[in-house]
Amino acid sequence: MFSISGYLKEWFNTTKYILTQPRDFFKEMPTSGSFKEPLNFMIFTIFIASLLSTPIIMLTFADYLSEMDLSCIILVTAGAFVFSLFVMAISVPLNAFTYHILLMICGANGNFKTTLRVFCYYLSASVFILPSIGIMMLILHIAEKNGLEGGLFDIVSIVFLMAVVILFTYYAFYILFVGFSEAHRMSMKRVIFALVGIPLVINIIIAAIPMAMVFSSGFSTEACGQSTENTLPFDHEYTDTSHVESNITASYGSIPVVDGITLLKINGRRHKR
């Protein structure tokens, strides 16, 4: 018979084993067979992580919530929980599929189910990260309400919060790298290159292409502007004759006369008379 307290105890022991001894856990993790156990672990972990991320969302919009009544706050809380639950449930298979492609490029030995197993157990790290972020945000919120914000306090608080988040995030990725290394029988260097090196190169290329296009476009526009200013088309020399006044008189069918000088056109040439 299923017992919530019994499963919660089992889940807690598994999470503790993953966080404290990740290499030993993933060495013992089966890479084939039934997918029921990692799937149940993933579902329960997503549920717990959604509960823990809800206060973070609420603290983010604490100023707006102070103007709402209790029913609206409960509705917003439920919406935040459902939203975080949906995002996590969708992101798990998508991220696992992306990681599996990168690992296959670098010679992973396992299949997609192996990658998904590792990713399911890796979610336990989110239970370790989210409370720390929530506690830090709660401390900052309380300090702000007590008038301690501003100046040196804000700088120290932000630096401390960033340091804690970076430290926990680094350890979470370490768990993921160890899991892929043990499950796919790959070295840590190849795993890091697959999950960090390849995306970094792709992002650099994506960022460099539009920058190169903008640079080349600006260079060509500047060059065209200079050539237009310094040259005239067809290499003709133009003379301004607007100041020349002439009196051309001629009746229909007669020889034209310019300022009293009669012009004769003989064999395509004009002669004065």
Side-chain angles (χ1 to χ4, degrees):
M1 184 177 178
F2 178 77
S3 174
I4 297 179
S5 60
Y7 184 79
L8 183 61
K9 183 179 180 180
E10 180 183 353
W11 175 86
F12 179 80
N13 292 332
T14 304
T15 302
K16 180 181 177 181
Y17 192 19
I18 295 172
L19 295 176
T20 56
Q21 305 177 53
R23 189 170 295 278
D24 294 337
F25 174 83
F26 287 109
K27 279 183 179 180
E28 301 172 1
M29 183 193 73
T31 57
S32 60
S34 176
F35 201 75
K36 181 180 178 180
E37 185 175 348
L39 183 62
N40 291 336
F41 183 86
M42 179 191 72
I43 294 174
F44 196 79
T45 303
I46 290 177
F47 181 80
I48 297 297
S50 299
L51 287 177
L52 294 175
S53 61
T54 300
I56 298 177
I57 299 176
M58 302 298 289
L59 286 174
T60 304
F61 301 98
D63 295 335
Y64 300 97
L65 295 177
S66 60
E67 302 175 358
M68 299 181 181
D69 55 12
L70 182 60
S71 60
C72 291
I73 293 176
I74 295 175
L75 184 62
V76 171
T77 304
F81 171 73
V82 173
F83 175 76
S84 60
L85 189 66
F86 176 77
V87 170
M88 289 186 181
I90 294 298
S91 63
V92 168
L94 292 179
N95 289 332
F97 180 74
T98 303
Y99 287 155
H100 184 68
I101 293 177
L102 296 175
L103 292 169
M104 291 295 292
I105 294 175
C106 295
N109 295 320
N111 53 21
F112 175 69
K113 287 186 177 181
T114 303
T115 303
L116 188 57
R117 285 173 185 271
V118 174
F119 207 85
C120 288
Y121 289 115
Y122 154 74
L123 288 177
S124 60
S126 63
V127 182
F128 182 64
I129 296 174
L130 291 175
S132 62
I133 299 176
I135 292 172
M136 292 298 103
M137 293 186 65
L138 181 61
I139 293 174
L140 294 178
H141 181 71
I142 294 175
E144 183 179 358
K145 290 299 181 181
N146 292 333
L148 298 178
E149 76 280 2
L152 182 62
F153 178 81
D154 278 349
I155 297 176
V156 174
S157 300
I158 293 174
V159 171
F160 180 70
L161 177 61
M162 291 179 61
V164 172
V165 173
I166 291 174
L167 179 62
F168 290 163
T169 304
Y170 173 81
Y171 187 72
F173 275 104
Y174 170 77
I175 294 175
L176 184 64
F177 294 160
V178 169
F180 286 143
S181 176
E182 295 295 335
H184 288 288
R185 304 297 184 267
M186 301 172 62
S187 64
M188 283 290 288
K189 291 181 180 180
R190 292 171 65 184
V191 173
I192 294 175
F193 177 75
L195 303 185
V196 179
I198 295 178
L200 181 61
V201 172
I202 294 175
N203 289 328
I204 291 175
I205 294 175
I206 293 175
I209 291 176
M211 292 178 62
M213 293 177 63
V214 171
F215 178 78
S216 61
S217 175
F219 180 78
S220 60
T221 303
E222 183 180 357
C224 291
Q226 291 179 354
S227 62
T228 304
E229 294 176 357
N230 297 332
T231 61
L232 293 174
F234 308 111
D235 293 334
H236 284 307
E237 294 184 358
Y238 293 91
T239 304
D240 185 8
T241 58
S242 60
H243 63 282
V244 178
E245 296 181 357
S246 60
N247 185 16
I248 303 176
T249 60
S251 61
Y252 180 76
S254 62
I255 299 174
V257 177
V258 180
D259 293 336
I261 302 174
T262 303
L263 300 179
L264 295 178
K265 185 176 181 181
I266 305 175
N267 295 329
R269 296 181 180 180
R270 294 184 183 272
H271 298 273
K272 295 180 180 179
R273 187 177 64 176

